[in-house]
Amino acid sequence: MTLIRTNCSLPSGVEGFIWMKNEFMWDNRNDTGSLQQCIQGIEPLMKSVRTVRMLGSSAVFLPWVANGRLTAYWTPDECAWDIAAGALMVQEAGGRCTDILGKEYNLRTRNLIASNGKIHDSLLKVLREDASLGPLV
């Protein structure tokens, strides 16, 4: 890994660092283990899906799942205020939202898997068994 000091707009007195490994970039001020889960989950998913998009916005991706533009969305660590409205949209559209263990979504869910419902169990299997993922501690 390479450590790079950045000159991006940050609050006064806050230094920013970006860790780079292969093509992944990560701001270390927010590292909670979710980057490692993303990297660990990508390879097994790539064997089963056509495309993986990583734009970083649950507010965009969850409505896309709800309207059918995306088949599924997975995020290893989000707060309720980032995903609650989108999860509701997915559920109201007939989709399914759970955590990595398959428990139905609630406001305490941080590791969210949202799908059209048809591929949900298959996606859970790939993430839990093939990628050996579990909830972040």
Coordinates of all heavy atoms in Angstrom, one line a residue, residues 10-56:
L10 N -10.6 20.0 3.2 CA -11.0 19.4 4.4 C -11.1 20.5 5.5 O -10.6 21.6 5.3 CB -9.9 18.5 4.9 CG -9.6 17.3 4.0 CD1 -8.4 16.5 4.4 CD2 -10.8 16.3 4.0
P11 N -11.9 20.3 6.5 CA -12.0 21.3 7.6 C -10.6 21.7 8.1 O -9.7 20.9 8.0 CB -12.8 20.6 8.7 CG -13.4 19.4 8.0 CD -12.6 19.1 6.8
S12 N -10.5 22.9 8.5 CA -9.2 23.5 8.9 C -8.6 22.6 10.0 O -9.3 22.2 10.9 CB -9.5 24.9 9.5 OG -8.3 25.4 10.0
G13 N -7.3 22.3 9.8 CA -6.6 21.5 10.8 C -6.7 20.0 10.6 O -6.1 19.3 11.4
V14 N -7.5 19.5 9.6 CA -7.6 18.1 9.4 C -6.8 17.7 8.3 O -6.8 18.3 7.2 CB -9.1 17.7 9.1 CG1 -9.2 16.3 8.8 CG2 -10.0 18.1 10.3
E15 N -5.9 16.7 8.5 CA -5.1 16.2 7.4 C -5.8 15.1 6.7 O -6.4 14.3 7.3 CB -3.7 15.7 7.9 CG -2.8 16.8 8.4 CD -1.4 16.3 8.7 OE1 -1.3 15.1 9.2 OE2 -0.5 17.0 8.5
G16 N -5.7 15.0 5.4 CA -6.3 13.9 4.7 C -5.2 13.0 4.1 O -4.2 13.4 3.6
F17 N -5.5 11.7 4.2 CA -4.6 10.7 3.6 C -5.5 9.7 2.8 O -6.6 9.4 3.1 CB -3.9 9.9 4.7 CG -3.0 10.7 5.5 CD1 -3.4 11.3 6.7 CD2 -1.7 10.9 5.1 CE1 -2.5 12.0 7.5 CE2 -0.8 11.7 5.8 CZ -1.2 12.3 7.0
I18 N -4.9 9.3 1.7 CA -5.6 8.3 0.9 C -4.7 7.1 0.8 O -3.5 7.2 0.4 CB -6.0 8.8 -0.5 CG1 -7.0 10.0 -0.4 CG2 -6.5 7.7 -1.4 CD1 -7.3 10.6 -1.7
W19 N -5.3 5.9 1.1 CA -4.5 4.7 0.9 C -4.9 4.1 -0.4 O -6.0 4.1 -0.8 CB -5.0 3.6 2.0 CG -4.6 4.0 3.3 CD1 -5.4 4.7 4.2 CD2 -3.4 3.7 4.0 NE1 -4.7 4.8 5.4 CE2 -3.5 4.3 5.3 CE3 -2.2 3.1 3.6 CZ2 -2.5 4.2 6.2 CZ3 -1.2 3.0 4.6 CH2 -1.3 3.5 5.8
M20 N -3.9 3.7 -1.2 CA -4.1 3.2 -2.5 C -3.6 1.7 -2.6 O -2.5 1.5 -2.2 CB -3.5 4.0 -3.6 CG -4.0 5.4 -3.6 SD -3.3 6.4 -4.9 CE -3.9 5.6 -6.4
K21 N -4.4 0.8 -3.0 CA -4.0 -0.5 -3.3 C -4.7 -1.0 -4.6 O -5.9 -1.0 -4.6 CB -4.4 -1.5 -2.1 CG -3.9 -2.9 -2.3 CD -4.2 -3.7 -1.1 CE -3.7 -5.1 -1.4 NZ -4.0 -6.0 -0.3
N22 N -3.9 -1.3 -5.5 CA -4.4 -1.6 -6.9 C -5.2 -0.4 -7.3 O -4.7 0.7 -7.4 CB -5.2 -2.9 -6.9 CG -4.4 -4.1 -6.5 OD1 -3.2 -4.1 -6.6 ND2 -5.0 -5.1 -5.9
E23 N -6.5 -0.5 -7.6 CA -7.3 0.6 -8.1 C -8.2 1.1 -7.0 O -9.0 2.0 -7.2 CB -8.1 0.1 -9.2 CG -7.3 -0.3 -10.4 CD -8.1 -0.7 -11.6 OE1 -9.3 -0.4 -11.6 OE2 -7.6 -1.4 -12.5
F24 N -8.1 0.7 -5.7 CA -9.0 1.1 -4.7 C -8.3 2.3 -4.0 O -7.2 2.4 -3.7 CB -9.2 0.0 -3.6 CG -10.0 -1.1 -4.2 CD1 -9.4 -2.3 -4.7 CD2 -11.4 -1.0 -4.3 CE1 -10.1 -3.3 -5.2 CE2 -12.1 -2.1 -4.9 CZ -11.4 -3.2 -5.3
M25 N -9.2 3.3 -3.6 CA -8.7 4.5 -2.9 C -9.6 4.6 -1.6 O -10.8 4.3 -1.7 CB -8.8 5.7 -3.7 CG -7.9 5.7 -4.9 SD -8.2 7.1 -6.0 CE -8.2 8.5 -4.9
W26 N -8.9 5.0 -0.5 CA -9.7 5.0 0.7 C -9.1 6.2 1.6 O -7.9 6.3 1.8 CB -9.5 3.7 1.5 CG -10.3 3.7 2.7 CD1 -9.9 3.7 4.0 CD2 -11.7 3.6 2.8 NE1 -10.9 3.6 4.9 CE2 -12.1 3.5 4.2 CE3 -12.8 3.5 1.9 CZ2 -13.4 3.5 4.7 CZ3 -14.1 3.4 2.4 CH2 -14.3 3.4 3.7
D27 N -10.0 7.0 2.1 CA -9.7 8.0 3.1 C -9.6 7.4 4.4 O -10.6 6.9 5.0 CB -10.7 9.1 3.0 CG -10.5 10.2 3.9 OD1 -9.7 10.1 4.9 OD2 -11.0 11.3 3.7
N28 N -8.4 7.3 5.0 CA -8.2 6.6 6.3 C -8.9 7.2 7.5 O -9.0 6.5 8.5 CB -6.7 6.4 6.6 CG -6.1 7.7 7.1 OD1 -6.4 8.8 6.6 ND2 -5.1 7.6 8.0
R29 N -9.5 8.4 7.4 CA -10.2 8.9 8.5 C -11.5 8.2 8.8 O -12.1 8.3 9.8 CB -10.5 10.4 8.3 CG -9.2 11.3 8.3 CD -9.5 12.7 7.9 NE -9.9 12.7 6.5 CZ -11.0 13.3 6.1 NH1 -11.7 14.0 6.9 NH2 -11.4 13.3 4.8
N30 N -12.0 7.5 7.8 CA -13.3 6.8 7.9 C -13.2 5.3 7.9 O -14.1 4.6 7.8 CB -14.2 7.2 6.7 CG -14.4 8.6 6.7 OD1 -14.7 9.3 7.7 ND2 -14.4 9.2 5.5
D31 N -12.0 4.7 8.1 CA -11.8 3.3 8.0 C -12.3 2.5 9.2 O -11.9 2.7 10.3 CB -10.3 3.0 7.9 CG -10.0 1.5 7.5 OD1 -11.0 0.8 7.3 OD2 -8.9 1.1 7.4
T32 N -13.4 1.7 8.9 CA -14.0 0.9 10.0 C -14.0 -0.6 9.6 O -14.7 -1.3 10.3 CB -15.5 1.3 10.1 OG1 -16.1 1.2 8.9 CG2 -15.6 2.8 10.6
G33 N -13.2 -0.9 8.7 CA -13.1 -2.3 8.2 C -14.0 -2.6 7.0 O -13.9 -3.6 6.4
S34 N -14.8 -1.6 6.6 CA -15.7 -1.8 5.5 C -14.9 -1.9 4.1 O -15.3 -2.6 3.2 CB -16.7 -0.7 5.4 OG -16.1 0.6 5.3
L35 N -13.8 -1.2 4.0 CA -13.0 -1.3 2.8 C -12.5 -2.8 2.6 O -12.6 -3.3 1.5 CB -11.7 -0.4 2.9 CG -10.8 -0.6 1.7 CD1 -11.4 -0.2 0.4 CD2 -9.5 0.2 1.9
Q36 N -12.0 -3.4 3.7 CA -11.6 -4.8 3.6 C -12.7 -5.7 3.2 O -12.6 -6.6 2.4 CB -11.0 -5.2 4.9 CG -10.3 -6.6 4.8 CD -9.2 -6.7 3.8 OE1 -8.4 -5.8 3.6 NE2 -9.2 -7.7 3.0
Q37 N -13.9 -5.4 3.7 CA -15.1 -6.2 3.3 C -15.4 -6.0 1.8 O -15.7 -7.0 1.1 CB -16.3 -5.9 4.2 CG -16.2 -6.5 5.5 CD -17.5 -7.1 6.0 OE1 -18.6 -6.8 5.5 NE2 -17.4 -7.8 7.1
C38 N -15.3 -4.8 1.4 CA -15.6 -4.5 -0.1 C -14.6 -5.3 -1.0 O -15.0 -5.9 -1.9 CB -15.5 -3.0 -0.4 SG -16.9 -2.1 0.2
I39 N -13.3 -5.2 -0.6 CA -12.3 -5.9 -1.4 C -12.5 -7.4 -1.4 O -12.5 -8.1 -2.4 CB -10.9 -5.5 -0.9 CG1 -10.7 -4.0 -1.2 CG2 -9.8 -6.4 -1.6 CD1 -9.4 -3.4 -0.6
Q40 N -12.8 -7.9 -0.2 CA -13.0 -9.3 0.0 C -14.3 -9.8 -0.8 O -14.3 -11.0 -1.2 CB -13.1 -9.6 1.5 CG -13.0 -11.1 1.9 CD -13.0 -11.2 3.4 OE1 -12.7 -10.3 4.1 NE2 -13.5 -12.4 3.8
G41 N -15.3 -9.0 -0.9 CA -16.5 -9.4 -1.5 C -16.5 -9.3 -3.1 O -17.3 -9.9 -3.8
I42 N -15.6 -8.4 -3.6 CA -15.7 -8.1 -5.0 C -15.3 -9.3 -5.9 O -16.0 -9.6 -6.8 CB -14.7 -6.9 -5.4 CG1 -15.3 -5.6 -4.8 CG2 -14.5 -6.8 -6.8 CD1 -16.6 -5.2 -5.4
E43 N -14.2 -10.0 -5.5 CA -13.8 -11.1 -6.4 C -14.8 -12.2 -6.5 O -15.2 -12.6 -7.7 CB -12.5 -11.7 -5.9 CG -11.9 -12.8 -6.8 CD -10.6 -13.4 -6.3 OE1 -10.0 -12.9 -5.4 OE2 -10.2 -14.4 -6.9
P44 N -15.4 -12.7 -5.4 CA -16.5 -13.7 -5.6 C -17.7 -13.2 -6.4 O -18.3 -13.9 -7.2 CB -16.9 -14.1 -4.2 CG -15.7 -13.7 -3.4 CD -15.1 -12.6 -4.0
L45 N -18.0 -11.9 -6.2 CA -19.2 -11.3 -6.9 C -18.9 -11.2 -8.4 O -19.8 -11.5 -9.2 CB -19.5 -9.9 -6.3 CG -20.3 -9.9 -5.1 CD1 -20.4 -8.4 -4.6 CD2 -21.6 -10.5 -5.2
M46 N -17.7 -10.9 -8.8 CA -17.3 -10.7 -10.2 C -17.5 -12.0 -11.0 O -17.8 -11.9 -12.2 CB -15.9 -10.2 -10.3 CG -15.7 -8.8 -9.9 SD -16.8 -7.6 -10.7 CE -16.2 -7.7 -12.4
K47 N -17.5 -13.1 -10.3 CA -17.7 -14.4 -11.0 C -19.2 -14.6 -11.3 O -19.5 -15.5 -12.1 CB -17.2 -15.6 -10.2 CG -15.7 -15.5 -9.9 CD -15.2 -16.6 -9.0 CE -13.8 -16.4 -8.6 NZ -13.4 -17.3 -7.5
S48 N -20.1 -13.9 -10.6 CA -21.5 -14.1 -10.7 C -22.3 -13.0 -11.3 O -23.5 -13.2 -11.6 CB -22.1 -14.4 -9.3 OG -21.4 -15.4 -8.6
V49 N -21.7 -11.8 -11.5 CA -22.4 -10.7 -12.0 C -21.8 -10.1 -13.3 O -20.7 -10.4 -13.6 CB -22.5 -9.6 -10.9 CG1 -23.2 -10.1 -9.6 CG2 -21.1 -9.0 -10.6
R50 N -22.6 -9.3 -13.9 CA -22.1 -8.7 -15.2 C -21.3 -7.5 -14.9 O -20.2 -7.2 -15.5 CB -23.3 -8.3 -16.0 CG -22.9 -7.7 -17.4 CD -24.1 -7.4 -18.2 NE -24.7 -6.2 -17.6 CZ -25.7 -5.6 -18.2 NH1 -26.3 -6.0 -19.3 NH2 -26.2 -4.5 -17.6
T51 N -21.7 -6.6 -13.9 CA -21.0 -5.4 -13.7 C -21.1 -5.0 -12.2 O -22.1 -5.3 -11.6 CB -21.7 -4.2 -14.4 OG1 -21.7 -4.5 -15.8 CG2 -20.9 -2.9 -14.2
V52 N -20.0 -4.5 -11.6 CA -20.0 -4.0 -10.3 C -19.8 -2.5 -10.4 O -18.8 -2.0 -11.1 CB -18.9 -4.6 -9.4 CG1 -18.8 -3.9 -8.1 CG2 -19.2 -6.1 -9.2
R53 N -20.6 -1.7 -9.8 CA -20.5 -0.2 -9.8 C -20.2 0.2 -8.4 O -20.8 -0.2 -7.5 CB -21.7 0.5 -10.3 CG -22.1 0.1 -11.7 CD -23.3 0.8 -12.2 NE -23.7 0.4 -13.5 CZ -24.6 1.0 -14.2 NH1 -25.2 2.1 -13.8 NH2 -24.9 0.5 -15.4
M54 N -19.2 1.1 -8.3 CA -18.9 1.6 -7.0 C -18.8 3.2 -7.1 O -17.7 3.7 -7.3 CB -17.6 1.0 -6.5 CG -17.6 -0.5 -6.3 SD -16.2 -1.2 -5.6 CE -14.9 -0.7 -6.7
L55 N -19.9 3.8 -6.9 CA -20.0 5.3 -7.0 C -20.0 5.9 -5.6 O -19.8 7.0 -5.4 CB -21.1 5.8 -7.8 CG -21.2 5.3 -9.3 CD1 -22.4 5.8 -10.0 CD2 -19.9 5.8 -10.0
G56 N -20.4 5.1 -4.6 CA -20.4 5.5 -3.2 C -21.6 6.2 -2.7 O -21.5 6.9 -1.7

